[in-house]
Structure formats: structure tokens, C-alpha cells
Amino acid sequence: MSSASRFRGSFTALVTPFRDGALDEKAFRAFVDWQIAEGTHGLVPVGTTGESPTLSHEEHNRVVEWAVQQSAGRVPVMAGAGSNNTAEAVALAQHAEKVGADALLVVTPYYNKPTQEGLYQHFRAIANAVELPIFIYNIPSRSVIDMSVETMARLFEIKNIAGVKDATANPARVSLQRQVLGPDFIQLSGEDATALGFNAHGGQGCISVASNVAPRLCSDFQLACLAGDYKAALAIQDILMPLHTALFVETNPAPTKYALSLLGKMSEEARLPMVPVSETTRAVVRSAMVHAGLIN
């Protein structure tokens, strides 16, 4: 199966379950099985939604291994391998490749604000260290720096730079990138609420937070978009939109973990500085889940 066909549709930005401060392997493995059974097209462990900033390197690597083992080739695993330290990102990428991940999601370096040339050299170094397809995670709201279309085009000349997770929340960016990089550059939305417009502009899927909670609906939504049936996609968008909003009333992934606790999938436990959501947010999340038909 080609890269273009493997990395399409609904990819879940997996949360990382905890119990009593430790990784909850049993809950994670069961969660992976449920995601696949519900139609999720791919798994993205240890991204921001997976609380990667508070995982040790050993824990990070273990979660990737569990995802690969439990998915057992049923869907592709795009392992988070980002850091603002290039050497650290290379080490995470090499480990993910070693244990059998199918691709890498590499965030633009955060906090240290590299130049466009610095961004290029960072991703080039990672690409040269592995053979796996690499997806650039462009999220200016968290990393501060925004990768330009021109820098992305330079990187696409490297054989294993495959696409982007675009969390700019600007659907026009899809068309701008498509103009310069062409249709073979795989563009995945990083924001559920605008994924409909993103796909209409030429996107091929979404690395989704909401699909943690509503994997079947998110899968059906993406399949409708890929089929060009935007009337059906809009109907699902109307069902999901309150959930897209609710899961970001407080910082991700705390609302998502609360929603998953209501579904009996895991504890809502997070790691500091993340804390459980307020009672007000709980009510908003429950209401959105009722609207989506996920709970009564």
C-alpha cells in the first residue's frame, strides 16, 4: 500500500492512560483495540495529546512499543518523535523505527524559536537518520514558530518527508501548500473543528483529538470527505461540533480524559501540570457527548 493511501482518514492522537501516577498498559492496549474496532484508520501515540512533555524517554518509547504491538499491523502507527533538541528527536525517531512504527510525527521545535533555516536543518537531520516517512507537525499556537510553505517545499525534496499535520487552523494554508508542493504532499488536519474546510481545500484526513472519544463518527466523517460526499460529512460535523468545542474548553487532553472516563475506557488521571477539569467543564463535556449520542 502506498504512503498516500495508508496515511489518509481518521488518525487518533492517542491519549496516554495513567493509574496511580504510572502508565496504565492494560487500559492503553484495550483502548487501541477499541479504536481499531471502531474504524480508526491510524494511531498517533505520544503526541501532545499523549502528554509527551511529561513522559520520561523510557515511558515514551514504551508507549510506542505498545501501540505497535497491539495494533499488530491492522492500522499504521505514526509515532510522535518531536523535541526542541534535535539529537533527542533523532533518538526517539530511531527507536520508533527499530520497534516497527510505520511513520513519524515530528513537531516543529518549541520554545527556542529556530529560524526557517534552523527548522530545515532540524528536520533534515531527523530524515537522514531514519527511513520512515516523516510528517511535519506545524502548530504555531504551541511551538510559537510557524513553518513557511517555502521551507516545507525544501523539505519535501527529501525522500522520506511525506506530509504535514497542519494545526494552523487556516484552511487556506492547505491550498497554498498544495499549489507549491502538489497533491502528493499528504496534508492532514490537526484541528477537528476546521477539518471539514481543510479537506475541502485538498486535505486527506485528520490527526484527531475527538476520535479518542467518538472514533466511529470521526471515521465516518473522514470517509465521507474522502468520497467527496460533503453533504454527509456536514451532517456528521453538526453532530460532532459541540464535542470539538467541549474538548478544548480546558487544555487538551484533560477534557478528553474526562470524557473517556465516562465511557469506562480509562481513568481521567493526568500528570501535573495538567489537572482534572472543573465541574463547569464536566457539564459541557457531558452535554456534547449526549448530543453526539455517545452517552444518555
Side-chain angles (χ1 to χ4, degrees):
M1 191 182 292
S2 70
S3 288
S5 58
R6 290 192 80 198
F7 301 107
R8 285 178 162 213
S10 182
F11 276 61
T12 301
L14 295 170
V15 298
T16 302
F18 300 116
R19 185 167 293 280
D20 300 324
L23 299 177
D24 188 341
E25 179 179 358
K26 182 178 178 181
F28 182 83
R29 290 182 180 274
F31 188 54
V32 166
D33 284 339
W34 178 66
Q35 284 284 322
I36 295 171
E38 288 291 298
T40 291
H41 305 118
L43 304 171
V44 185
V46 288
T48 309
T49 302
E51 294 177 77
S52 56
T54 57
L55 299 185
S56 69
H57 291 171
E58 180 187 358
E59 288 174 325
H60 183 116
N61 289 339
R62 239 185 299 159
V63 172
V64 173
E65 289 175 34
W66 295 343
V68 171
Q69 291 166 0
Q70 200 64 29
S71 62
R74 289 177 288 172
V75 297
V77 173
M78 184 189 296
S83 174
N84 62 345
N85 176 336
T86 303
E88 188 175 281
V90 166
L92 293 173
Q94 289 176 328
H95 176 269
E97 182 171 55
K98 179 182 176 183
V99 300
D102 300 283
L104 301 169
L105 180 66
V106 179
V107 70
T108 50
Y110 39 86
Y111 190 78
N112 43 17
K113 295 177 71 173
T115 63
Q116 293 298 311
E117 182 61 26
L119 287 175
Y120 174 79
Q121 294 297 340
H122 175 81
F123 279 90
R124 182 171 176 268
I126 299 165
N128 287 341
V130 294
E131 297 293 325
L132 291 179
I134 292 172
F135 286 78
I136 299 158
Y137 183 11
N138 193 27
I139 180 166
S141 63
R142 282 187 185 260
S143 66
V144 183
I145 198 74
D146 184 4
M147 183 181 286
S148 69
V149 177
E150 293 73 23
T151 300
M152 227 169 263
R154 286 181 69 199
L155 284 168
F156 193 41
E157 294 173 5
I158 300 170
K159 64 179 175 62
N160 53 331
I161 300 290
V164 64
K165 175 186 177 180
D166 187 304
T168 62
N170 176 12
R173 185 68 69 91
V174 191
S175 292
L176 294 170
Q177 287 163 178
R178 189 177 168 86
Q179 269 193 321
V180 175
L181 291 102
D184 292 336
F185 186 70
I186 304 166
Q187 299 199 59
L188 303 174
S189 172
E191 210 220 14
D192 286 298
T194 58
L196 181 64
F198 186 98
N199 287 340
H201 275 261
Q204 292 133 305
C206 183
I207 297 178
S208 168
V209 172
S211 61
N212 279 285
V213 181
R216 175 62 63 185
L217 283 167
C218 289
S219 174
D220 289 347
F221 170 81
Q222 291 296 334
L223 288 173
C225 289
L226 287 169
D229 188 351
Y230 284 96
K231 182 177 180 180
L234 181 58
I236 301 171
Q237 173 85 347
D238 288 341
I239 294 168
L240 283 172
M241 193 62 200
L243 186 66
H244 295 333
T245 303
L247 295 182
F248 288 87
V249 169
E250 292 185 33
T251 305
N252 175 50
T256 302
K257 283 194 157 180
Y258 171 64
L260 287 167
S261 75
L262 292 180
L263 295 175
K265 299 302 176 186
M266 64 186 67
S267 160
E268 66 174 305
E269 184 179 333
R271 278 189 177 166
L272 288 171
M274 302 302 298
V275 294
V277 294
S278 68
E279 287 301 324
T280 301
T281 296
R282 288 170 192 266
V284 173
V285 171
R286 286 195 300 268
S287 176
M289 292 175 73
V290 170
H291 182 84
L294 303 173
I295 58 174
N296 296 320

